[in-house]
């Protein structure tokens, strides 16, 4: 036997045998294997038989045990059957009632569970009613929370058919809640309520739709801007409608609707439109502030600060809000630009046009404060239109100025002693605020419109004071013109300004009674002082135009330089008119010590070349080489006589004209700081040049204008005629002055009485009288020298008489006038003393005193030193004088 059969009890003998077979089989091998296996089987069988025989007694004993067990099992079966039968009987007889109680208790528990489920289902069914109540109370977070809890409950009871129906109904309720949230979100664009907005944002946060809410909000702002602007323009366009057959206006595009607006309602509609848009912008600003406060609260809460989803939504919302500022302002501009360009502003009154620019600038300032956009496109769209309007406006004003100058009677207009240019209502915007520096501007933006009108009010309200929209002054110290601009004795308001001063120009007929009343009062009281500045009706008109022009510069900075050029033309034309009216008839204005300066001559020449429109002899107007504004030269009214002694050759008219121009120049200088703020830095050189070459030299016009009076008061030819009859070659020293001196003093006394008479009627400033007397004395002094130079022969006694005559004149004239010192006294004294010079002293003296004429210097040589020198020396001195004449420069 193979030992493998003995060692492993789990082996498979058959498989083992088969595995032992050789790879190549034949019948012989198989027979051999079969024989071998049979032999082994026989051996095993014999061994088994031997073992059975050896253990037969044990086998019998074990078999008996099996039989006993079988009998015991049959007995146990009988016992179980009897036990069951007895238990059944016990159940029927003893425990049937107790077990029923237990079954009912279990049934009760099941019913209670069903009741709880039914109550939950009933609550789900009533969710719609409770949700509606919460929506009416605007408790949106609670309504959303309730819907979310109901959705969670529905998932647990979805196996019930009634609950599955409630699921679709709850979805409808949630959609309704979201619709109402969207409506409230849209309402916040026009009426922001922080409490309501907080509830809405909390509700969207519960819905996990914070980003969607922000997108919807920006869309609502855009839609609100479009709807409100269309509604405002439509309301006023309906009032302008003249043809009822043209169809409903509400179907027109917004751009076409804007073109239907009349000038009558343009300004009020623009104001209303800006008010409406301001409400939208203000609500958006408050929305941004709410989110900033909310973000600050999140930063302070550590648990919320670590919420990644919340931080992501917060970042998204902030980016949208910042982008929304620019987006919403662009929408506003797209509604304003078509309105401004849809109407031709050329026919507007100046005040209305200024109102348009003022409101537009105010809206631009709001946009700049909101998002930093300076709205260059809006300003550019208005710049050319404004410049064209102002060119036309300025041309008309210049023609009006020429008309008023030609009709001006040059009477003093009575104003308060404290009157300045700031008393006029046109400068009210400067009394409260004007130009501002960059520092002030940055401070203004910090405390801007959204701060000043955070709670109530509107920057476009009709009663909004100008100072709330205009930039503050750059100079605000107590010594600045802003601080000292207050009028003495009044509150600096327009209530104290006479109604006449509130007009651009005042008819001369309105002025006459008041002027006559003032004049009679002054004559009766002997008042001879000037009470207040000297100005005329035209002066007030020009100052009022200054205010309007500066207002234009203030509200539209891009054309400020062009307006400044036009403003300077007003001043130039007024100055040119005063000179052409009252200085052209003065011969001594061109030459002599009292002639105009070269700067004044150059200025008048510039004005004539650049501003005055010349008319050819045939009456045709010369074509202008450029597009410059030119005006015909004004002509003095024929009602103003300048050649009558009774009116002192128009002295009061001349005085009023010149002093009003001087007053205008002083007021212009007070405006310089504001003008510098309006004009761009690169263009301020023009302003400085205009001031230095034109405004600052205005007082020089007093000389030629008042010289016209002085030249006519005395007749130098008559005085020279009387002096020619005096003999200067006398042998005795005279103690009595010549008679011609009495004539001069008599004439001066007569003129003094006339001055006093006119001064009692029309008070004249001391500077005027001094200027006239200066010209009179100048004429007398030069006549003295000219008369002395006319002497053919002169002795030392005659020279003493000359000195006596002149000293008598000086003594008496000092009693007559208050002018000190007497002008050009040395001019005569020096000439008389030169008669006593020697030959050695006279030559350098002649070279140093070129102010004397050739005739006067020659007379010195002939009658003075010439009497003591030979002919050759005399001729040499005369040749020196002639050489000096050739090189003499005009004085």
């Amino acid at each position: 036997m193979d030992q493998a059969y003995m060692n492993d009890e789990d082996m498979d003998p058959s498989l083992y045998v088969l595995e032992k077979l050789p790879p190549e089989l034949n019948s012989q091998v198989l027979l051999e294997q079969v024989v071998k296996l049979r032999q082994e089987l026989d051996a095993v069988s014999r061994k088994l038989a031997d073992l059975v025989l050896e253990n037969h007694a044990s086998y019998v004993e074990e078999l008996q045990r099996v039989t006993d067990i079988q009998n015991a099992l049959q007995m146990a079966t009988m016992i179980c059957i009897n036990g069951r039968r007895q238990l059944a009987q016990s159940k029927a007889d003893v425990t049937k009632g107790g077990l029923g109680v237990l079954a009912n208790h279990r049934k009760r528990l099941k019913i209670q569970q069903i009741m709880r489920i039914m109550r939950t289902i009933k609550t789900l069914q009533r969710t719609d009613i409770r949700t509606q109540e919460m929506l009416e109370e605007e408790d949106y977070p609670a309504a959303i929370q309730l819907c979310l809890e109901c959705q969670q409950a529905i998932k647990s009871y979805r196996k019930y058919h009634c609950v599955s129906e409630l699921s679709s109904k709850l979805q409808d309720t949630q959609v309704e809640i979201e619709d109402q949230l969207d409506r409230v979100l849209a309402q916040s664009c026009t009426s922001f309520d922080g409490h309501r907005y907080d509830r809405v944002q909390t509700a969207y946060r519960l819905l996990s739709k914070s980003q969607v809410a922000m997108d919807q909000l920006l869309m609502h702002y855009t839609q609100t801007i479009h709807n409100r602007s269309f509604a405002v323009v439509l309301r006023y366009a309906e009032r302008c409608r003249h043809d009822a057959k043209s169809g409903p206006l509400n179907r027109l595009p917004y751009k076409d609707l804007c073109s239907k607006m009349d000038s009558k309602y343009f300004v009020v509609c623009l104001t209303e439109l800006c008010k409406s848009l301001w409400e939208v912008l203000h609500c958006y600003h408050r929305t941004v502030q709410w989110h900033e406060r909310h973000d600050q609260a999140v930063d302070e809460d550590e648990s919320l600060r670590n919420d990644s989803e919340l931080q992501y939504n917060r970042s998204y919302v902030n980016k949208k809000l910042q982008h929304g500022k620019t987006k919403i302002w662009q929408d506003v501009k797209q509604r304003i630009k078509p309105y401004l360009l849809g109407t031709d502003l050329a026919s507007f009154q100046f005040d209305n046009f200024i109102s348009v620019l003022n409101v537009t600038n105010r809206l631009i300032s709001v946009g700049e404060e909101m998002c930093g956009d300076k709205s260059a496109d809006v300003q550019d769209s208005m710049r050319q239109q404004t410049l064209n309007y102002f060119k036309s406006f300025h041309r008309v004003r210049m023609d009006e100025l020429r008309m008023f100058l030609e009709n001006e009677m040059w009477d003093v207009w009575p104003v308060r002693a404290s009157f300045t240019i700031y008393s006029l209502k046109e400068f009210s915007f400067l009394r409260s605020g004007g130009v501002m520096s960059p520092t002030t501007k940055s401070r203004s933006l910090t405390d801007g419109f959204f701060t000043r009108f955070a709670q109530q009010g509107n920057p476009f309200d009709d009663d909004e004071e100008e100072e709330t929209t205009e930039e503050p002054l750059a100079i605000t110290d107590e010594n600045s013109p802003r601080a000292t601009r207050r009028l003495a004795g009044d509150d600096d308001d327009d209530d104290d300004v006479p109604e006449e001063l509130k007009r651009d120009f005042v008819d001369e007929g309105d002025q006459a009674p008041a002027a006559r009343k003032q004049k009679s009062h002054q004559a009766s009281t002997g008042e001879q002082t000037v009470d207040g500045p000297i100005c005329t009706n035209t002066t007030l008109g020009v100052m009022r135009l200054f205010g309007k022009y500066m207002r234009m510069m203030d509200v539209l900075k891009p054309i400020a330089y062009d307006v400044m050029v036009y403003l300077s033309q007003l001043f130039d034309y007024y100055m040119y008119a005063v000179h052409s009216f009252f200085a052209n008839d003065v011969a001594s204005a061109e030459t002599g010590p009292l002639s105009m300066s070269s700067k004044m001559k150059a200025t008048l020449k510039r004005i004539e070349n650049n501003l005055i429109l010349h008319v050819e002899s045939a009456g045709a107007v010369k074509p202008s080489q450029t597009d410059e504004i030119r005006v015909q030269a004004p002509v003095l009214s024929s009602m103003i006589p300048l050649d009558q002694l009774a009116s002192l050759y128009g002295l009061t008219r001349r005085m009023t004209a010149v002093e009003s121009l001087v007053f205008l120049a002083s007021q212009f200088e007070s405006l310089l700081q504001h003008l510098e703020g309006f004009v761009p830095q690169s263009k301020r050189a023009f302003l400085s040049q205009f001031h230095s070459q034109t405004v600052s030299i205005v007082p020089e016009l007093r000389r030629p204008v008042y010289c016209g009076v002085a030249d006519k008061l005395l007749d130098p030819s008559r005085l020279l005629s009387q002096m020619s009859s005096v003999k200067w070659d006398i042998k005795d020293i005279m103690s009595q002055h010549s008679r011609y001196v009495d004539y001069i003093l008599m004439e001066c006394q007569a003129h003094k009485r006339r001055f006093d008479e006119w001064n009692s009627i029309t008070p004249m400033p001391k500077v005027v009288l001094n200027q006239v007397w200066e010209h009179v004395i100048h004429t007398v002094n030069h006549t003295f020298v000219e008369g002395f130079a006319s002497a053919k022969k002169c002795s030392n006694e005659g020279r003493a008489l000359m000195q006596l005559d002149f000293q008598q004149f000086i003594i008496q004239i000092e009693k007559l006038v208050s002018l000190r010192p007497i002008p050009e006294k040395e001019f005569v004294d020096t000439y008389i003393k030169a008669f006593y010079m020697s030959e050695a002293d006279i030559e350098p003296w002649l070279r140093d005193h070129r102010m004397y004429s050739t005739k006067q210097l020659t007379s010195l040589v002939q009658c003075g030193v010439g009497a003591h020198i030979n002919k050759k020396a005399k001729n040499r001195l005369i040749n020196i004088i002639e050489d000096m004449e050739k090189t003499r420069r005009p004085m």
Side-chain angles (χ1 to χ4, degrees):
M1 292 289 294
D2 193 340
Q3 290 297 324
Y5 296 114
M6 307 300 178
N7 298 334
D8 190 358
E9 295 180 358
D10 297 329
M11 72 171 294
D12 186 358
S14 299
L15 179 62
Y16 179 74
V17 171
L18 292 175
E19 289 177 349
K20 289 177 59 178
L21 292 176
E24 297 181 0
L25 298 176
N26 51 48
S27 60
Q28 184 64 32
V29 174
L30 293 174
L31 290 175
E32 292 177 355
Q33 289 292 329
V34 169
V35 171
K36 182 179 179 180
L37 291 174
R38 284 178 177 175
Q39 290 176 354
E40 293 177 349
L41 179 61
D42 292 340
V44 170
S45 298
R46 285 192 300 271
K47 184 65 175 176
L48 180 62
D50 292 339
L51 292 174
V52 168
L53 291 176
E54 292 177 358
N55 296 286
H56 178 71
S58 299
Y59 171 73
V60 173
E61 182 181 354
E62 189 67 26
L63 184 62
Q64 183 61 40
R65 289 178 61 190
V66 170
T67 303
D68 294 340
I69 291 171
Q70 185 177 3
N71 294 331
L73 290 174
Q74 289 177 352
M75 181 61 69
T77 301
M78 292 301 295
I79 292 170
C80 288
I81 292 172
N82 293 332
R84 288 181 177 179
R85 184 170 58 251
Q86 292 174 359
L87 287 173
Q89 183 65 34
S90 299
K91 179 180 179 181
D93 297 339
V94 180
T95 63
K96 184 176 181 179
L99 293 177
V101 172
L102 294 175
N104 289 335
H105 177 70
R106 186 164 51 251
K107 187 182 298 183
R108 178 187 176 187
L109 294 178
K110 290 182 179 180
I111 292 175
Q112 287 178 344
Q113 182 180 4
I114 293 173
M115 289 295 293
R116 287 195 298 271
I117 295 174
M118 293 298 294
R119 280 194 293 270
T120 303
I121 294 175
K122 183 178 179 180
T123 301
L124 293 176
Q125 289 177 337
R126 291 175 55 85
T127 299
D128 183 55
I129 299 175
R130 179 57 185 155
T131 302
Q132 292 298 329
E133 293 175 355
M134 292 179 177
L135 292 180
E136 291 177 1
E137 298 171 358
E138 297 186 346
D139 192 358
Y140 307 113
I144 293 295
Q145 188 66 38
L146 179 60
C147 288
L148 294 177
E149 293 175 356
C150 290
Q151 288 178 349
Q152 190 66 31
I154 287 175
K155 291 180 182 179
S156 302
Y157 301 102
R158 189 175 294 277
K159 58 185 177 180
Y160 302 105
H161 179 68
C162 62
V163 173
S164 62
E165 293 179 354
L166 284 175
S167 178
S168 60
K169 186 176 181 181
L170 189 62
Q171 291 292 336
D172 295 339
T173 301
Q174 185 169 339
V175 171
E176 182 182 355
I177 294 175
E178 292 184 9
D179 290 342
Q180 186 160 345
L181 285 174
D182 190 65
R183 286 194 297 271
V184 175
L185 202 63
Q187 292 172 5
S188 70
C189 298
T190 56
S191 178
F192 182 84
D193 185 336
H195 182 66
R196 294 182 69 195
Y197 188 78
D198 179 72
R199 288 184 172 184
V200 170
Q201 288 296 323
T202 304
Y204 274 114
R205 200 156 46 246
L206 291 174
L207 292 172
S208 299
K209 292 185 177 181
S210 297
Q211 298 182 14
V212 175
M214 184 51 56
D215 295 335
Q216 286 292 109
L217 180 64
L218 295 179
M219 183 188 70
H220 285 313
Y221 270 103
T222 299
Q223 188 66 31
T224 301
I225 290 172
H226 287 212
N227 293 343
R228 299 199 98 190
S229 58
F230 188 90
V232 171
V233 176
L234 176 63
R235 184 167 68 252
Y236 285 95
E238 291 286 356
R239 301 181 185 181
C240 305
R241 187 175 182 181
H242 304 295
D243 185 9
K245 299 180 180 180
S246 59
L249 297 178
N250 57 0
R251 297 182 181 179
L252 293 177
Y254 180 75
K255 184 176 181 180
D256 296 339
L257 185 64
C258 292
S259 63
K260 301 293 183 181
M261 189 63 57
D262 286 348
S263 59
K264 177 181 179 182
Y265 296 104
F266 186 87
V267 177
V268 64
C269 180
L270 175 63
T271 305
E272 191 67 27
L273 178 61
C274 290
K275 285 183 180 180
S276 181
L277 295 177
W278 158 260
E279 293 177 358
V280 178
L281 297 177
H282 187 222
C283 288
Y284 188 83
H285 178 75
R286 295 183 64 186
T287 301
V288 173
Q289 287 183 323
W290 184 92
H291 281 278
E292 290 175 352
R293 291 193 299 269
H294 179 265
D295 291 344
Q296 185 177 0
V298 170
D299 292 336
E300 294 174 355
D301 191 331
E302 185 175 356
S303 60
L304 296 177
R305 191 167 60 246
N306 297 328
D307 190 339
S308 58
E309 182 180 358
L310 179 63
Q311 294 298 330
Y312 176 77
N313 289 335
R314 170 186 170 184
S315 175
Y316 179 87
V317 169
N318 288 335
K319 290 180 180 179
K320 280 291 184 178
L321 285 174
Q322 294 304 318
H323 174 72
K325 290 181 179 180
T326 304
K327 175 65 171 58
I328 291 173
W329 176 242
Q330 291 296 329
D331 291 336
V332 170
K333 290 196 297 184
Q334 292 304 318
R335 308 308 280 180
I336 289 294
K337 285 177 61 178
Y339 183 81
L340 294 175
L341 300 178
T343 303
D344 184 11
L345 305 180
S347 61
F348 276 37
Q349 295 293 330
F350 182 83
D351 291 339
N352 290 339
F353 191 80
I354 284 293
S355 297
V356 171
L357 295 182
N358 192 38
V359 171
T360 305
N361 276 353
R362 207 176 300 171
L363 183 64
I364 290 175
S365 299
V366 171
E368 183 177 1
E369 181 183 344
M370 180 176 181
C371 62
D373 184 8
K374 295 184 180 297
S375 306
D377 50 346
V378 178
Q379 294 193 39
D380 291 342
S381 64
M382 291 294 295
R383 182 182 185 278
Q384 190 58 44
Q385 188 174 6
T386 304
L387 189 57
N388 293 336
Y389 171 86
F390 196 76
K391 282 183 179 179
S392 175
F393 176 82
H394 177 64
R395 192 181 301 275
V396 174
R397 299 291 83 76
M398 290 296 291
D399 290 336
E400 287 182 357
L401 179 58
R402 179 177 66 86
M403 178 186 68
F404 277 95
L405 285 170
E406 291 180 345
N407 291 276
E408 177 64 63
M409 297 306 297
W410 302 106
D411 288 323
V412 178
W413 187 266
V415 293
R416 289 177 290 115
S418 58
F419 173 77
T420 67
I421 198 169
Y422 297 101
S423 303
L424 299 174
K425 66 182 179 65
E426 281 76 9
F427 293 89
S428 59
F429 74 104
L430 287 181
R431 290 203 297 269
S432 303
V435 228
M436 64 180 176
S437 64
T439 304
T440 308
K441 184 175 182 179
S442 63
R443 185 168 60 250
S444 175
L445 290 178
T446 304
D447 187 19
F449 296 103
F450 291 106
T451 302
R452 293 201 300 270
F453 302 100
Q455 301 300 326
Q456 62 181 0
N458 191 303
F460 304 97
D461 285 339
D462 292 337
D463 58 350
E464 173 67 14
E465 292 295 333
E466 200 62 38
E467 58 267 22
T468 62
T469 60
E470 302 300 331
E471 301 167 342
L473 284 172
I475 303 175
T476 57
D477 59 272
E478 62 180 0
N479 295 322
S480 67
R482 181 183 180 186
T484 59
R485 193 182 308 143
R486 307 288 296 181
L487 298 179
D490 59 47
D491 293 330
D492 198 18
D493 55 17
D494 286 341
D495 295 337
D496 294 335
V497 181
E499 287 298 324
E500 295 84 350
L501 301 186
K502 295 183 180 180
R503 304 182 227 165
D504 285 350
F505 291 96
V506 185
D507 188 7
E508 288 294 336
D510 295 339
Q511 186 267 352
R516 286 196 297 269
K517 181 178 180 181
Q518 185 193 30
K519 291 175 182 179
S520 65
H521 170 71
Q522 291 172 339
S524 62
T525 58
E527 185 179 6
Q528 297 185 6
T529 59
V530 179
D531 185 17
I534 295 178
C535 58
T536 66
N537 171 34
T538 308
T539 312
L540 293 174
V542 172
M543 287 193 293
R544 298 182 78 84
L545 289 178
F546 281 1
K548 290 184 177 181
Y549 283 36
M550 290 181 66
R551 183 68 178 278
M552 179 69 75
M553 296 167 69
D554 185 36
V555 298
L556 198 63
K557 300 295 192 300
I559 68 167
Y561 172 71
D562 302 278
V563 178
M564 178 61 221
V565 173
Y566 295 149
L567 187 148
S568 68
Q569 290 180 355
L570 294 173
F571 192 93
D572 283 343
Y573 194 73
Y574 192 94
M575 180 178 178
Y576 182 85
V578 172
H579 176 268
S580 63
F581 288 172
F582 303 107
N584 273 346
D585 59 340
V586 183
S588 61
E590 298 297 330
T591 61
L594 298 178
S595 62
M596 291 187 298
S597 65
S598 58
K599 184 184 290 188
M600 175 63 74
K601 294 177 182 178
T603 297
L604 294 173
K605 187 66 175 177
R606 173 187 61 80
I607 297 173
E608 184 174 6
N609 293 337
N610 298 338
L611 186 59
I612 303 303
L613 182 65
H614 298 283
V615 180
E616 297 177 340
S617 58
V621 177
K622 291 183 178 179
S624 176
Q625 300 298 324
T626 63
D627 192 26
E628 297 176 343
I629 294 179
R630 292 177 176 268
V631 189
Q632 293 185 23
V635 179
L636 182 63
S637 173
S638 59
M639 299 177 63
I640 301 178
L642 299 179
D643 55 357
Q644 297 178 7
L645 178 60
S647 63
L648 286 177
Y649 304 102
L651 176 59
T652 57
R653 313 289 187 178
R654 296 172 188 265
M655 177 270 296
T656 303
V658 175
E659 299 307 320
S660 66
L661 178 60
V662 172
F663 175 69
L664 183 63
S666 67
Q667 298 306 296
F668 185 90
E669 289 180 341
S670 71
L671 298 174
L672 280 178
Q673 60 163 340
H674 305 294
L675 293 172
E676 289 177 353
F678 294 140
V679 177
Q681 183 72 33
S682 58
K683 301 292 186 179
R684 291 182 184 175
F686 168 81
L687 184 60
S688 300
Q689 183 180 9
F690 176 73
H691 173 258
S692 62
Q693 296 184 2
T694 304
V695 179
S696 62
I697 64 173
V698 163
E700 294 183 16
L701 269 183
R702 287 170 172 159
R703 289 183 179 180
V705 172
Y706 297 141
C707 187
V709 177
D711 285 349
K712 295 179 177 63
L713 288 176
L714 289 177
D715 185 1
S717 60
R718 185 174 179 181
L719 179 56
L720 288 174
S721 175
Q722 293 190 19
M723 292 182 68
S724 64
S725 63
V726 179
K727 294 182 179 182
W728 304 108
D729 55 349
I730 58 178
K731 302 300 182 180
D732 299 324
I733 296 179
M734 304 297 293
S735 60
Q736 181 66 30
H737 59 270
S738 304
R739 294 179 61 185
Y740 72 88
V741 178
D742 295 331
Y743 166 76
I744 296 174
L745 294 174
M746 182 180 62
E747 287 292 318
C748 291
Q749 290 170 355
H751 297 325
K752 177 65 167 58
R753 288 193 296 271
R754 295 188 183 97
F755 290 157
D756 292 341
E757 291 175 1
W758 276 98
N759 196 33
S760 65
I761 299 174
T762 303
M764 291 180 284
K766 185 177 181 180
V767 64
V768 175
L769 296 176
N770 287 344
Q771 195 80 51
V772 175
W773 278 117
E774 181 180 354
H775 287 300
V776 170
I777 296 173
H778 164 79
T779 302
V780 173
N781 289 340
H782 279 258
T783 306
F784 264 118
V785 174
E786 188 66 22
F788 296 155
S790 300
K792 302 299 183 181
K793 296 179 181 180
C794 183
S795 62
N796 289 334
E797 291 78 8
R799 295 173 193 133
L801 179 59
M802 291 180 182
Q803 191 73 33
L804 178 62
D805 290 346
F806 184 67
Q807 289 299 326
Q808 177 66 16
F809 170 75
I810 294 299
I811 293 173
Q812 296 302 321
I813 203 67
E814 287 180 344
K815 297 178 181 179
L816 199 62
V817 300
S818 60
L819 183 62
R820 296 291 185 276
I822 299 299
E824 297 186 340
K825 177 180 177 182
E826 294 78 7
F827 181 77
V828 182
D829 283 337
T830 303
Y831 186 80
I832 296 175
K833 292 176 182 178
F835 279 98
Y836 299 98
M837 289 185 178
S838 63
E839 180 182 359
D841 297 331
I842 193 63
E843 182 175 345
W845 188 93
L846 291 174
R847 298 183 185 278
D848 294 338
H849 293 76
R850 294 172 176 264
M851 74 284 295
Y852 299 104
S853 67
T854 301
K855 174 186 175 182
Q856 294 166 355
L857 295 177
T858 303
S859 177
L860 279 176
V861 174
Q862 295 286 357
C863 300
V865 69
H868 309 291
I869 61 177
N870 56 36
K871 185 175 182 180
K872 182 178 180 180
K874 184 185 300 185
N875 290 335
R876 184 176 62 82
L877 292 176
I878 292 176
N879 289 335
I880 292 175
I881 295 172
E882 290 176 353
D883 292 339
M884 291 169 53
E885 177 65 22
K886 293 177 182 179
T887 59
R888 185 187 297 273
R889 291 180 298 178
M891 298 299 293

